Amino acid sequence: MKKIALVAALAAFSVPAVAAPGDTDNATGTATAEIVAPISITHDAGASLSFGTLTAGNGGTIAVSPAGTAGTPTGEVRLLAGSTVSADGFSVSGEDGRSYSITVGGGTVTSGTNNMSFTTSASKASGSLTGGSDTFSVGGTLTVGANQAVGSYSGSYTATVTYN
């Protein structure tokens, strides 16, 4: 009887333990997400990129800095005395402390079937939303054609802000 019990006990120790086959395993990962306030841009009420009142002559350019001051006209373009020039203005809002980049495009101003093109430049290439808000201004350079037709010209351009 002792032999049978001993053989049974030895047999119990020699049976291999049941284990996974070793070609698969898994673990649990984690995932997170954070939602922030959307970035928003608004055009400042009453603001406008104004190149002033000009004479064309044989053409040239007139520049307005993002600070709102007129540069020296080129070619035969002349800015009339007492003419008002101004930079445009925008306000940005979004998640406090986030940084963002600014892109501004050029455009065309028209009067009837006549037009002139302009380029733009922002007062900065990027900003930070301190307290959730920030501002920037836009200047530009207008190209005036030779003997440009008389008229009041207007147009638009796009300013885009993007979180960094």
Side-chain angles (χ1 to χ4, degrees):
M1 180 79 131
K2 284 186 181 184
K3 276 188 175 180
I4 294 177
L6 181 60
V7 170
L10 288 175
F13 288 110
S14 64
V15 174
V18 177
D23 61 350
T24 61
D25 197 5
N26 61 46
T28 302
T30 60
T32 63
E34 177 184 5
I35 306 297
V36 298
I39 193 166
S40 176
I41 182 173
T42 56
H43 183 252
D44 294 347
S48 176
L49 174 56
S50 176
F51 294 103
T53 304
L54 315 164
T55 59
N58 284 320
T61 64
I62 181 72
V64 176
S65 75
T69 57
T72 304
T74 66
E76 291 188 8
V77 171
R78 298 292 178 261
L79 182 63
L80 297 181
S83 181
T84 302
V85 299
S86 62
D88 210 349
F90 294 89
S91 296
V92 183
S93 62
E95 187 72 17
D96 182 28
R98 295 273 176 192
S99 64
Y100 67 95
S101 59
I102 301 166
T103 305
V104 290
T108 301
V109 290
T110 60
S111 176
T113 59
N114 303 299
N115 61 59
M116 295 181 283
S117 63
F118 64 92
T119 60
T120 59
S121 60
S123 56
K124 54 189 174 183
S126 61
S128 180
L129 296 170
T130 304
S133 65
D134 196 19
T135 62
F136 67 94
S137 58
V138 175
T141 301
L142 177 69
T143 301
V144 180
N147 303 310
Q148 187 72 44
V150 172
S152 290
Y153 290 75
S154 63
S156 62
Y157 64 97
T158 302
T160 304
V161 292
T162 307
Y163 278 136
N164 291 337

